Amino acid sequence: MFGVPLHLNGSMVLLALLLAVLYAEFARRQLDLPQVSGYLIGFGFVVSLLGSVLLHELGHALTARRYGIGVRGITLELLGGYTEMDRDAPSPRVDLLVSLAGPAVSAVLAVVAVAATLALPEGTVAHQLSFQLALSNVIVALFNILPGLPLDGGRALRAAVWGLTRDRHRGTEVAGWAGRVVAVGTVALVVLLTVADYLAPLALPLMLLVAVTLWRGAGQSIRAARVSRRFPLIDLSRLARPVWPVTTGTPLSEAQRRRAEGGQPAAALLITDSTGRPVALVDPAAAEAVPADRRPWLAVDAVARSLGTLPALPVGLDGEGVMEAVQSHPGAQYVVTAGEDVVGILHIADLAQVLEPNRKMTS
């Protein structure tokens, strides 16, 4: 829509069924309708709600594009939707505008729908449909404006703290912790409403799932802020493991012996052609799997990967550039280059150790 890719997650079916059943009973009691008619109106509410979520996300997407931020797509799923952008906002002002664009769209739709609801005669299907539209947009606007990540209000809070402190990471951490408070508050509110019989028991699992998702999203935001603080520590010239060149056709055992005698047993075996041009990299796991008695008879080429299949990183790339490249081309190893020369191999585990030194790594 408007050039923005739209993805529909299969979990939406579960949301549609649950909300249709809940709202069908409510509408049937309000309008004294047969059960079938109640379910039709319940389905209309689901369509209205998802349409409202889509317009809400389009508000984010089109505002982001207005400020030069690429939009990878909008995804609608069980708990609503989200807009994926290809980079962060360049300033607190842009971050704030993009964050509030979605709730602003929902608020405008809610005002129009409320006006229509008040103008239409009560007890009619038209009145009920306009009420659905008003209710869905009020829910979307009010819930998303809560001040905690990953909600829009949390992004707005991050932008405000970022603007005041000139520290985006601090803004993300503050908004992340606020998101955890919102998650706990959501659980408390849901339990109270259920006990007071204001919330149907059937809705309890969904609302608790919303709270758990908020908690996890807030935690991921806090972790992301702490990790991104360490981006300046990424130095490819220091992180990259050395390479040990061997000519194509060299027996695996001979290549390993030369590397050991050269004093670099941890260096990656880089295969070169007859002209000295690097062409492949020995896969350490594949080489280790070869029995020792077979290694003298197996060429290094048999356990190697072509350099063309491995993403390359220029040795002078800064921390943010490295992270963008890694996110765009996920992998376990990266070739570090200086011009046309291969100067080292970056292992993703080494990069993770720099970003999260206190986290236990598994191989």
mmCIF file of all heavy atoms in Angstrom, residues 2 36 95 101 106 111 146 154 198 209 214 226 229 234 253 280 304 340:
data_model
loop_
_atom_site.group_PDB
_atom_site.id
_atom_site.type_symbol
_atom_site.label_atom_id
_atom_site.label_comp_id
_atom_site.label_asym_id
_atom_site.label_seq_id
_atom_site.Cartn_x
_atom_site.Cartn_y
_atom_site.Cartn_z
ATOM 1 N N PHE A 2 0.616 2.147 -0.958
ATOM 2 C CA PHE A 2 1.440 3.352 -1.110
ATOM 3 C C PHE A 2 2.921 2.986 -1.256
ATOM 4 O O PHE A 2 3.801 3.710 -0.794
ATOM 5 C CB PHE A 2 1.256 4.309 0.079
ATOM 6 C CG PHE A 2 -0.147 4.777 0.270
ATOM 7 C CD1 PHE A 2 -0.968 4.209 1.235
ATOM 8 C CD2 PHE A 2 -0.676 5.779 -0.537
ATOM 9 C CE1 PHE A 2 -2.273 4.631 1.415
ATOM 10 C CE2 PHE A 2 -1.988 6.215 -0.359
ATOM 11 C CZ PHE A 2 -2.783 5.636 0.608
ATOM 12 N N VAL A 36 -26.553 -15.405 14.550
ATOM 13 C CA VAL A 36 -25.813 -15.259 13.286
ATOM 14 C C VAL A 36 -25.506 -13.791 13.015
ATOM 15 O O VAL A 36 -24.393 -13.426 12.627
ATOM 16 C CB VAL A 36 -26.610 -15.873 12.117
ATOM 17 C CG1 VAL A 36 -25.905 -15.577 10.790
ATOM 18 C CG2 VAL A 36 -26.754 -17.372 12.302
ATOM 19 N N ASP A 95 12.306 11.406 15.336
ATOM 20 C CA ASP A 95 11.874 10.234 16.096
ATOM 21 C C ASP A 95 10.516 10.487 16.736
ATOM 22 O O ASP A 95 9.620 9.629 16.728
ATOM 23 C CB ASP A 95 12.916 9.915 17.165
ATOM 24 C CG ASP A 95 12.820 8.483 17.675
ATOM 25 O OD1 ASP A 95 12.151 7.654 17.017
ATOM 26 O OD2 ASP A 95 13.416 8.184 18.724
ATOM 27 N N ALA A 101 2.908 9.803 14.780
ATOM 28 C CA ALA A 101 2.083 9.815 13.561
ATOM 29 C C ALA A 101 0.997 8.753 13.609
ATOM 30 O O ALA A 101 -0.147 9.003 13.211
ATOM 31 C CB ALA A 101 2.975 9.613 12.338
ATOM 32 N N SER A 106 -4.956 7.394 14.350
ATOM 33 C CA SER A 106 -6.010 6.713 15.100
ATOM 34 C C SER A 106 -6.937 7.718 15.774
ATOM 35 O O SER A 106 -8.164 7.516 15.825
ATOM 36 C CB SER A 106 -5.386 5.786 16.153
ATOM 37 O OG SER A 106 -4.615 4.773 15.541
ATOM 38 N N VAL A 111 -12.245 10.435 16.205
ATOM 39 C CA VAL A 111 -13.094 11.631 16.271
ATOM 40 C C VAL A 111 -14.186 11.573 15.202
ATOM 41 O O VAL A 111 -15.373 11.847 15.464
ATOM 42 C CB VAL A 111 -12.235 12.904 16.104
ATOM 43 C CG1 VAL A 111 -13.132 14.131 15.890
ATOM 44 C CG2 VAL A 111 -11.352 13.107 17.323
ATOM 45 N N LEU A 146 0.724 4.858 25.559
ATOM 46 C CA LEU A 146 1.299 4.599 26.876
ATOM 47 C C LEU A 146 2.819 4.759 26.814
ATOM 48 O O LEU A 146 3.465 4.265 25.882
ATOM 49 C CB LEU A 146 0.927 3.191 27.350
ATOM 50 C CG LEU A 146 -0.558 2.956 27.659
ATOM 51 C CD1 LEU A 146 -0.804 1.497 28.010
ATOM 52 C CD2 LEU A 146 -1.020 3.863 28.786
ATOM 53 N N GLY A 154 6.273 5.007 24.173
ATOM 54 C CA GLY A 154 7.638 4.752 24.617
ATOM 55 C C GLY A 154 8.657 5.350 23.671
ATOM 56 O O GLY A 154 9.691 5.898 24.101
ATOM 57 N N TYR A 198 -15.627 -7.186 34.788
ATOM 58 C CA TYR A 198 -15.717 -6.237 33.688
ATOM 59 C C TYR A 198 -15.063 -6.775 32.414
ATOM 60 O O TYR A 198 -15.297 -6.245 31.327
ATOM 61 C CB TYR A 198 -15.036 -4.907 34.059
ATOM 62 C CG TYR A 198 -15.839 -4.081 35.031
ATOM 63 C CD1 TYR A 198 -15.412 -3.914 36.347
ATOM 64 C CD2 TYR A 198 -17.017 -3.453 34.640
ATOM 65 C CE1 TYR A 198 -16.143 -3.161 37.258
ATOM 66 C CE2 TYR A 198 -17.756 -2.696 35.539
ATOM 67 C CZ TYR A 198 -17.314 -2.562 36.849
ATOM 68 O OH TYR A 198 -18.041 -1.822 37.744
ATOM 69 N N LEU A 209 -1.063 -12.195 27.336
ATOM 70 C CA LEU A 209 -0.065 -12.325 26.271
ATOM 71 C C LEU A 209 0.432 -10.953 25.837
ATOM 72 O O LEU A 209 1.625 -10.771 25.560
ATOM 73 C CB LEU A 209 -0.667 -13.079 25.082
ATOM 74 C CG LEU A 209 0.252 -13.316 23.880
ATOM 75 C CD1 LEU A 209 1.491 -14.106 24.294
ATOM 76 C CD2 LEU A 209 -0.498 -14.046 22.772
ATOM 77 N N LEU A 214 4.816 -7.028 25.902
ATOM 78 C CA LEU A 214 5.339 -5.711 26.287
ATOM 79 C C LEU A 214 6.603 -5.853 27.131
ATOM 80 O O LEU A 214 7.594 -5.139 26.921
ATOM 81 C CB LEU A 214 4.284 -4.936 27.068
ATOM 82 C CG LEU A 214 3.097 -4.388 26.287
ATOM 83 C CD1 LEU A 214 2.108 -3.713 27.235
ATOM 84 C CD2 LEU A 214 3.549 -3.404 25.222
ATOM 85 N N ARG A 226 22.115 -1.004 25.581
ATOM 86 C CA ARG A 226 23.404 -1.331 26.187
ATOM 87 C C ARG A 226 24.400 -1.830 25.149
ATOM 88 O O ARG A 226 25.587 -1.518 25.205
ATOM 89 C CB ARG A 226 23.198 -2.375 27.279
ATOM 90 C CG ARG A 226 22.437 -1.831 28.485
ATOM 91 C CD ARG A 226 22.081 -2.908 29.483
ATOM 92 N NE ARG A 226 21.405 -2.350 30.653
ATOM 93 C CZ ARG A 226 20.854 -3.084 31.603
ATOM 94 N NH1 ARG A 226 20.893 -4.405 31.534
ATOM 95 N NH2 ARG A 226 20.261 -2.498 32.625
ATOM 96 N N ARG A 229 25.702 1.045 22.828
ATOM 97 C CA ARG A 229 26.700 1.897 23.482
ATOM 98 C C ARG A 229 28.122 1.423 23.190
ATOM 99 O O ARG A 229 29.075 2.208 23.241
ATOM 100 C CB ARG A 229 26.490 1.891 24.994
ATOM 101 C CG ARG A 229 25.369 2.756 25.513
ATOM 102 C CD ARG A 229 25.328 2.731 27.018
ATOM 103 N NE ARG A 229 24.208 3.484 27.553
ATOM 104 C CZ ARG A 229 24.211 4.789 27.744
ATOM 105 N NH1 ARG A 229 25.285 5.488 27.438
ATOM 106 N NH2 ARG A 229 23.155 5.400 28.243
ATOM 107 N N ILE A 234 34.079 -1.500 18.439
ATOM 108 C CA ILE A 234 34.286 -2.455 17.343
ATOM 109 C C ILE A 234 35.423 -1.954 16.454
ATOM 110 O O ILE A 234 35.310 -0.910 15.811
ATOM 111 C CB ILE A 234 33.001 -2.636 16.523
ATOM 112 C CG1 ILE A 234 31.876 -3.200 17.401
ATOM 113 C CG2 ILE A 234 33.250 -3.565 15.332
ATOM 114 C CD1 ILE A 234 30.538 -3.283 16.705
ATOM 115 N N SER A 253 46.578 -31.924 6.180
ATOM 116 C CA SER A 253 47.529 -32.101 7.281
ATOM 117 C C SER A 253 48.752 -31.206 7.100
ATOM 118 O O SER A 253 49.276 -30.642 8.061
ATOM 119 C CB SER A 253 47.961 -33.565 7.388
ATOM 120 O OG SER A 253 48.617 -33.971 6.191
ATOM 121 N N ALA A 280 39.390 -19.115 -1.511
ATOM 122 C CA ALA A 280 38.504 -19.886 -0.632
ATOM 123 C C ALA A 280 39.032 -19.860 0.795
ATOM 124 O O ALA A 280 40.190 -19.485 1.044
ATOM 125 C CB ALA A 280 38.372 -21.324 -1.127
ATOM 126 N N ALA A 304 36.590 -26.487 2.076
ATOM 127 C CA ALA A 304 36.661 -25.020 1.996
ATOM 128 C C ALA A 304 35.386 -24.431 1.416
ATOM 129 O O ALA A 304 34.591 -25.120 0.769
ATOM 130 C CB ALA A 304 37.861 -24.607 1.150
ATOM 131 N N GLU A 340 41.909 -5.238 -2.229
ATOM 132 C CA GLU A 340 41.662 -6.582 -2.749
ATOM 133 C C GLU A 340 42.281 -7.663 -1.877
ATOM 134 O O GLU A 340 42.121 -8.852 -2.150
ATOM 135 C CB GLU A 340 42.217 -6.703 -4.176
ATOM 136 C CG GLU A 340 41.513 -5.778 -5.179
ATOM 137 C CD GLU A 340 42.031 -5.979 -6.585
ATOM 138 O OE1 GLU A 340 42.983 -6.788 -6.755
ATOM 139 O OE2 GLU A 340 41.496 -5.353 -7.515
#
